[in-house]
Amino acid sequence: MADSPDDTPPESKLTRTKQEWARLGRFLTGRQERPEAERLPPGQHLVKNWPVLDLGLQPDVSPERWRLQINGAVEEPQIWDWARFQSQPQSEETSDMHCVTTWSRYDNRWGGVLTRDLMAIVRPREDAAFVVLGSYDGYTTNLPLADFAAENAMLVHSWEGRPLAKEHGGPVRLLVPHLYLWKSAKWLRSIEFRTADQPGYWEVRGYHNRGDPWAEERYSD
């Protein structure tokens, strides 16, 4: 039996925006699923645990105190508290992660808000080309907009069905699985869309500006 017209989801600004992106092919990066034989990037080794790496400070940010500021080259700047973040479209993704310190972990199950859903709300301007992420511990990192907008990039609040632990960046961190993990800022506090690039904490200390694991973009030339 065919669905009645009443069963059709209503149109919204978010759905219209994402349909326009699909029509224009915006933010395509050429990403393809890799066969199992090519799943581990060069120079990496598999681990079963999740090693903890940080700058020596793990800020204690409760969901009640957490705020995310989203601004810069966007049409609709936002400040999200926990309730507003949880009210956004929620997604689940399973992906690998790769740390520049040579460990990789397969098949991590994440819950959170896809960066593309966030972008559909804030609407980056046509001249936006980069994002700079800021963390509660003072950390920053930069990304080309196309990497930030990758199809499985997300703001994550859970891992393996549990709230994201403080040592791994909870309550909210970025996850961009096709780049080295230092690009996935922990304890996320701000997202600034920019027309010009601005290297972050590790990028000005000798790390590669992009960080593609399959090209071993660990350090700058």
Side-chain angles (χ1 to χ4, degrees):
M1 179 177 172
D3 291 340
S4 68
D6 291 341
D7 294 327
T8 304
E11 281 282 321
S12 68
K13 182 188 291 185
L14 187 150
T15 58
R16 288 193 295 271
T17 299
K18 292 177 79 172
Q19 287 171 3
E20 180 68 5
W21 289 352
R23 185 182 70 81
L24 297 174
R26 197 174 180 198
F27 307 124
L28 291 177
T29 63
R31 176 182 174 275
Q32 297 178 343
E33 291 299 322
R34 297 176 183 274
E36 187 68 26
E38 300 176 11
R39 192 174 176 184
L40 189 67
Q44 297 294 107
H45 68 279
L46 284 178
V47 299
K48 296 294 185 182
N49 61 331
W50 185 354
V52 175
L53 298 169
D54 53 50
L55 301 182
L57 173 67
Q58 295 181 3
D60 191 6
V61 184
S62 67
E64 292 75 23
R65 290 180 49 241
W66 178 81
R67 298 291 184 275
L68 177 64
Q69 182 169 304
I70 312 161
N71 59 16
V74 296
E75 301 293 343
E76 301 286 345
Q78 305 275 311
I79 296 179
W80 287 357
D81 60 12
W82 189 253
R84 185 121 186 235
F85 177 56
Q86 292 291 324
S87 73
Q88 306 307 318
Q90 299 292 312
S91 299
E92 288 193 354
E93 292 283 336
T94 298
S95 60
D96 304 339
M97 55 180 167
H98 310 289
C99 182
V100 71
T101 60
T102 77
W103 63 263
S104 295
R105 191 180 192 281
Y106 287 169
D107 297 324
N108 301 276
R109 184 163 54 91
W110 310 99
V113 175
L114 293 171
T115 57
R116 289 192 174 197
D117 286 336
L118 177 149
M119 291 168 58
I121 294 166
V122 303
R123 294 191 293 135
R125 297 192 327 232
E126 287 296 323
D127 58 349
F130 303 92
V131 296
V132 172
L133 309 159
S135 302
Y136 273 88
D137 64 345
Y139 180 78
T140 59
T141 192
N142 57 315
L143 289 167
L145 187 58
D147 286 320
F148 181 78
E151 63 180 331
N152 59 353
M154 65 193 311
L155 278 57
V156 299
H157 56 65
S158 66
W159 176 71
E160 301 300 329
R162 300 182 297 274
L164 187 64
K166 179 176 74 170
E167 62 265 28
H168 294 309
V172 178
R173 71 174 295 159
L174 182 68
L175 193 283
V176 182
H178 70 281
L179 298 180
Y180 283 125
L181 208 52
W182 92 78
K183 290 292 187 178
S184 296
K186 297 180 177 182
W187 307 295
L188 195 60
R189 183 176 192 172
S190 64
I191 302 172
E192 181 188 7
F193 290 78
R194 294 178 55 88
T195 59
D197 199 9
Q198 178 179 302
Y201 181 90
W202 285 120
E203 291 79 16
V204 301
R205 289 168 169 82
Y207 279 58
H208 198 278
N209 201 49
R210 181 160 184 256
D212 180 351
W214 286 272
E216 282 207 89
E217 292 176 342
R218 301 179 191 273
Y219 311 113
S220 58
D221 295 332

PDB file of all heavy atoms in Angstrom, residues 124-145:
ATOM      1  N   PRO A 124      27.349  28.220   5.536  1.00  0.00           N
ATOM      2  CA  PRO A 124      28.597  28.911   5.198  1.00  0.00           C
ATOM      3  C   PRO A 124      28.442  29.777   3.952  1.00  0.00           C
ATOM      4  O   PRO A 124      27.746  29.408   3.004  1.00  0.00           O
ATOM      5  CB  PRO A 124      29.575  27.758   4.933  1.00  0.00           C
ATOM      6  CG  PRO A 124      29.014  26.597   5.682  1.00  0.00           C
ATOM      7  CD  PRO A 124      27.531  26.752   5.613  1.00  0.00           C
ATOM      8  N   ARG A 125      29.077  30.933   3.963  1.00  0.00           N
ATOM      9  CA  ARG A 125      29.050  31.811   2.808  1.00  0.00           C
ATOM     10  C   ARG A 125      29.827  31.192   1.651  1.00  0.00           C
ATOM     11  O   ARG A 125      30.645  30.293   1.849  1.00  0.00           O
ATOM     12  CB  ARG A 125      29.660  33.168   3.172  1.00  0.00           C
ATOM     13  CG  ARG A 125      28.890  33.913   4.239  1.00  0.00           C
ATOM     14  CD  ARG A 125      29.354  35.376   4.357  1.00  0.00           C
ATOM     15  NE  ARG A 125      30.762  35.580   4.085  1.00  0.00           N
ATOM     16  CZ  ARG A 125      31.596  36.230   4.905  1.00  0.00           C
ATOM     17  NH1 ARG A 125      31.169  36.668   6.078  1.00  0.00           N
ATOM     18  NH2 ARG A 125      32.861  36.405   4.557  1.00  0.00           N
ATOM     19  N   GLU A 126      29.589  31.688   0.461  1.00  0.00           N
ATOM     20  CA  GLU A 126      30.261  31.154  -0.719  1.00  0.00           C
ATOM     21  C   GLU A 126      31.772  31.302  -0.635  1.00  0.00           C
ATOM     22  O   GLU A 126      32.509  30.503  -1.216  1.00  0.00           O
ATOM     23  CB  GLU A 126      29.739  31.859  -1.977  1.00  0.00           C
ATOM     24  CG  GLU A 126      28.338  31.441  -2.385  1.00  0.00           C
ATOM     25  CD  GLU A 126      28.270  29.976  -2.779  1.00  0.00           C
ATOM     26  OE1 GLU A 126      29.228  29.470  -3.398  1.00  0.00           O
ATOM     27  OE2 GLU A 126      27.253  29.332  -2.477  1.00  0.00           O
ATOM     28  N   ASP A 127      32.258  32.311   0.085  1.00  0.00           N
ATOM     29  CA  ASP A 127      33.699  32.521   0.166  1.00  0.00           C
ATOM     30  C   ASP A 127      34.338  31.775   1.337  1.00  0.00           C
ATOM     31  O   ASP A 127      35.556  31.854   1.529  1.00  0.00           O
ATOM     32  CB  ASP A 127      34.035  34.012   0.246  1.00  0.00           C
ATOM     33  CG  ASP A 127      33.376  34.716   1.429  1.00  0.00           C
ATOM     34  OD1 ASP A 127      32.490  34.112   2.065  1.00  0.00           O
ATOM     35  OD2 ASP A 127      33.750  35.877   1.704  1.00  0.00           O
ATOM     36  N   ALA A 128      33.562  31.028   2.116  1.00  0.00           N
ATOM     37  CA  ALA A 128      34.137  30.225   3.203  1.00  0.00           C
ATOM     38  C   ALA A 128      34.928  29.068   2.608  1.00  0.00           C
ATOM     39  O   ALA A 128      34.431  28.343   1.746  1.00  0.00           O
ATOM     40  CB  ALA A 128      33.042  29.710   4.121  1.00  0.00           C
ATOM     41  N   ALA A 129      36.172  28.873   3.075  1.00  0.00           N
ATOM     42  CA  ALA A 129      37.028  27.829   2.516  1.00  0.00           C
ATOM     43  C   ALA A 129      37.728  26.997   3.578  1.00  0.00           C
ATOM     44  O   ALA A 129      38.289  25.948   3.257  1.00  0.00           O
ATOM     45  CB  ALA A 129      38.069  28.448   1.588  1.00  0.00           C
ATOM     46  N   PHE A 130      37.701  27.435   4.844  1.00  0.00           N
ATOM     47  CA  PHE A 130      38.400  26.750   5.930  1.00  0.00           C
ATOM     48  C   PHE A 130      37.576  26.839   7.206  1.00  0.00           C
ATOM     49  O   PHE A 130      36.659  27.666   7.311  1.00  0.00           O
ATOM     50  CB  PHE A 130      39.783  27.383   6.187  1.00  0.00           C
ATOM     51  CG  PHE A 130      40.682  27.410   4.991  1.00  0.00           C
ATOM     52  CD1 PHE A 130      40.695  28.515   4.144  1.00  0.00           C
ATOM     53  CD2 PHE A 130      41.507  26.338   4.704  1.00  0.00           C
ATOM     54  CE1 PHE A 130      41.517  28.542   3.034  1.00  0.00           C
ATOM     55  CE2 PHE A 130      42.329  26.355   3.586  1.00  0.00           C
ATOM     56  CZ  PHE A 130      42.332  27.460   2.747  1.00  0.00           C
ATOM     57  N   VAL A 131      37.907  25.979   8.165  1.00  0.00           N
ATOM     58  CA  VAL A 131      37.387  26.125   9.518  1.00  0.00           C
ATOM     59  C   VAL A 131      38.563  26.072  10.487  1.00  0.00           C
ATOM     60  O   VAL A 131      39.578  25.420  10.227  1.00  0.00           O
ATOM     61  CB  VAL A 131      36.347  25.038   9.893  1.00  0.00           C
ATOM     62  CG1 VAL A 131      35.110  25.135   9.025  1.00  0.00           C
ATOM     63  CG2 VAL A 131      36.957  23.644   9.821  1.00  0.00           C
ATOM     64  N   VAL A 132      38.417  26.785  11.597  1.00  0.00           N
ATOM     65  CA  VAL A 132      39.359  26.707  12.709  1.00  0.00           C
ATOM     66  C   VAL A 132      38.572  26.269  13.934  1.00  0.00           C
ATOM     67  O   VAL A 132      37.525  26.848  14.263  1.00  0.00           O
ATOM     68  CB  VAL A 132      40.058  28.051  12.969  1.00  0.00           C
ATOM     69  CG1 VAL A 132      40.887  27.985  14.253  1.00  0.00           C
ATOM     70  CG2 VAL A 132      40.955  28.423  11.796  1.00  0.00           C
ATOM     71  N   LEU A 133      39.048  25.216  14.591  1.00  0.00           N
ATOM     72  CA  LEU A 133      38.372  24.632  15.742  1.00  0.00           C
ATOM     73  C   LEU A 133      39.099  25.042  17.010  1.00  0.00           C
ATOM     74  O   LEU A 133      40.336  25.013  17.071  1.00  0.00           O
ATOM     75  CB  LEU A 133      38.374  23.111  15.614  1.00  0.00           C
ATOM     76  CG  LEU A 133      37.870  22.587  14.262  1.00  0.00           C
ATOM     77  CD1 LEU A 133      38.353  21.190  14.016  1.00  0.00           C
ATOM     78  CD2 LEU A 133      36.364  22.674  14.193  1.00  0.00           C
ATOM     79  N   GLY A 134      38.333  25.424  18.011  1.00  0.00           N
ATOM     80  CA  GLY A 134      38.895  25.800  19.299  1.00  0.00           C
ATOM     81  C   GLY A 134      38.380  24.887  20.392  1.00  0.00           C
ATOM     82  O   GLY A 134      37.221  24.458  20.357  1.00  0.00           O
ATOM     83  N   SER A 135      39.242  24.573  21.363  1.00  0.00           N
ATOM     84  CA  SER A 135      38.906  23.635  22.431  1.00  0.00           C
ATOM     85  C   SER A 135      38.969  24.313  23.793  1.00  0.00           C
ATOM     86  O   SER A 135      39.604  25.357  23.962  1.00  0.00           O
ATOM     87  CB  SER A 135      39.874  22.445  22.408  1.00  0.00           C
ATOM     88  OG  SER A 135      39.844  21.795  21.158  1.00  0.00           O
ATOM     89  N   TYR A 136      38.352  23.670  24.779  1.00  0.00           N
ATOM     90  CA  TYR A 136      38.321  24.217  26.132  1.00  0.00           C
ATOM     91  C   TYR A 136      39.688  24.203  26.805  1.00  0.00           C
ATOM     92  O   TYR A 136      39.871  24.876  27.826  1.00  0.00           O
ATOM     93  CB  TYR A 136      37.305  23.456  26.982  1.00  0.00           C
ATOM     94  CG  TYR A 136      35.898  24.000  26.871  1.00  0.00           C
ATOM     95  CD1 TYR A 136      35.027  23.555  25.888  1.00  0.00           C
ATOM     96  CD2 TYR A 136      35.430  24.955  27.764  1.00  0.00           C
ATOM     97  CE1 TYR A 136      33.739  24.047  25.782  1.00  0.00           C
ATOM     98  CE2 TYR A 136      34.148  25.467  27.668  1.00  0.00           C
ATOM     99  CZ  TYR A 136      33.301  25.009  26.684  1.00  0.00           C
ATOM    100  OH  TYR A 136      32.024  25.511  26.589  1.00  0.00           O
ATOM    101  N   ASP A 137      40.650  23.462  26.279  1.00  0.00           N
ATOM    102  CA  ASP A 137      42.000  23.469  26.851  1.00  0.00           C
ATOM    103  C   ASP A 137      42.917  24.451  26.137  1.00  0.00           C
ATOM    104  O   ASP A 137      44.126  24.474  26.384  1.00  0.00           O
ATOM    105  CB  ASP A 137      42.612  22.070  26.827  1.00  0.00           C
ATOM    106  CG  ASP A 137      42.833  21.536  25.411  1.00  0.00           C
ATOM    107  OD1 ASP A 137      42.256  22.107  24.457  1.00  0.00           O
ATOM    108  OD2 ASP A 137      43.574  20.550  25.255  1.00  0.00           O
ATOM    109  N   GLY A 138      42.379  25.268  25.227  1.00  0.00           N
ATOM    110  CA  GLY A 138      43.165  26.234  24.485  1.00  0.00           C
ATOM    111  C   GLY A 138      43.718  25.727  23.170  1.00  0.00           C
ATOM    112  O   GLY A 138      44.336  26.479  22.413  1.00  0.00           O
ATOM    113  N   TYR A 139      43.488  24.466  22.849  1.00  0.00           N
ATOM    114  CA  TYR A 139      43.981  23.856  21.610  1.00  0.00           C
ATOM    115  C   TYR A 139      43.222  24.414  20.408  1.00  0.00           C
ATOM    116  O   TYR A 139      42.035  24.735  20.491  1.00  0.00           O
ATOM    117  CB  TYR A 139      43.775  22.347  21.688  1.00  0.00           C
ATOM    118  CG  TYR A 139      44.237  21.552  20.490  1.00  0.00           C
ATOM    119  CD1 TYR A 139      45.580  21.274  20.307  1.00  0.00           C
ATOM    120  CD2 TYR A 139      43.327  21.060  19.559  1.00  0.00           C
ATOM    121  CE1 TYR A 139      46.026  20.523  19.220  1.00  0.00           C
ATOM    122  CE2 TYR A 139      43.747  20.317  18.483  1.00  0.00           C
ATOM    123  CZ  TYR A 139      45.096  20.051  18.316  1.00  0.00           C
ATOM    124  OH  TYR A 139      45.528  19.314  17.250  1.00  0.00           O
ATOM    125  N   THR A 140      43.914  24.526  19.272  1.00  0.00           N
ATOM    126  CA  THR A 140      43.271  24.896  18.015  1.00  0.00           C
ATOM    127  C   THR A 140      43.817  24.003  16.905  1.00  0.00           C
ATOM    128  O   THR A 140      44.941  23.502  16.966  1.00  0.00           O
ATOM    129  CB  THR A 140      43.549  26.364  17.627  1.00  0.00           C
ATOM    130  OG1 THR A 140      44.958  26.574  17.507  1.00  0.00           O
ATOM    131  CG2 THR A 140      42.967  27.318  18.663  1.00  0.00           C
ATOM    132  N   THR A 141      43.002  23.801  15.882  1.00  0.00           N
ATOM    133  CA  THR A 141      43.463  23.137  14.663  1.00  0.00           C
ATOM    134  C   THR A 141      42.617  23.635  13.504  1.00  0.00           C
ATOM    135  O   THR A 141      41.513  24.154  13.696  1.00  0.00           O
ATOM    136  CB  THR A 141      43.424  21.602  14.785  1.00  0.00           C
ATOM    137  OG1 THR A 141      44.139  21.018  13.690  1.00  0.00           O
ATOM    138  CG2 THR A 141      41.999  21.064  14.802  1.00  0.00           C
ATOM    139  N   ASN A 142      43.147  23.500  12.294  1.00  0.00           N
ATOM    140  CA  ASN A 142      42.505  24.036  11.100  1.00  0.00           C
ATOM    141  C   ASN A 142      42.200  22.920  10.107  1.00  0.00           C
ATOM    142  O   ASN A 142      42.879  21.888  10.092  1.00  0.00           O
ATOM    143  CB  ASN A 142      43.404  25.086  10.434  1.00  0.00           C
ATOM    144  CG  ASN A 142      44.781  24.548  10.084  1.00  0.00           C
ATOM    145  OD1 ASN A 142      45.416  23.862  10.885  1.00  0.00           O
ATOM    146  ND2 ASN A 142      45.244  24.863   8.878  1.00  0.00           N
ATOM    147  N   LEU A 143      41.189  23.144   9.287  1.00  0.00           N
ATOM    148  CA  LEU A 143      40.778  22.176   8.270  1.00  0.00           C
ATOM    149  C   LEU A 143      40.295  22.909   7.023  1.00  0.00           C
ATOM    150  O   LEU A 143      39.593  23.926   7.134  1.00  0.00           O
ATOM    151  CB  LEU A 143      39.614  21.314   8.768  1.00  0.00           C
ATOM    152  CG  LEU A 143      39.861  20.268   9.845  1.00  0.00           C
ATOM    153  CD1 LEU A 143      38.530  19.786  10.390  1.00  0.00           C
ATOM    154  CD2 LEU A 143      40.645  19.108   9.266  1.00  0.00           C
ATOM    155  N   PRO A 144      40.596  22.390   5.834  1.00  0.00           N
ATOM    156  CA  PRO A 144      39.867  22.851   4.658  1.00  0.00           C
ATOM    157  C   PRO A 144      38.386  22.525   4.817  1.00  0.00           C
ATOM    158  O   PRO A 144      38.019  21.506   5.414  1.00  0.00           O
ATOM    159  CB  PRO A 144      40.491  22.050   3.511  1.00  0.00           C
ATOM    160  CG  PRO A 144      41.818  21.605   4.027  1.00  0.00           C
ATOM    161  CD  PRO A 144      41.627  21.388   5.498  1.00  0.00           C
ATOM    162  N   LEU A 145      37.541  23.370   4.293  1.00  0.00           N
ATOM    163  CA  LEU A 145      36.103  23.163   4.453  1.00  0.00           C
ATOM    164  C   LEU A 145      35.658  21.825   3.870  1.00  0.00           C
ATOM    165  O   LEU A 145      34.781  21.157   4.419  1.00  0.00           O
ATOM    166  CB  LEU A 145      35.340  24.309   3.786  1.00  0.00           C
ATOM    167  CG  LEU A 145      33.830  24.324   4.003  1.00  0.00           C
ATOM    168  CD1 LEU A 145      33.482  24.371   5.486  1.00  0.00           C
ATOM    169  CD2 LEU A 145      33.199  25.511   3.266  1.00  0.00           C
TER     170      LEU A 145
END
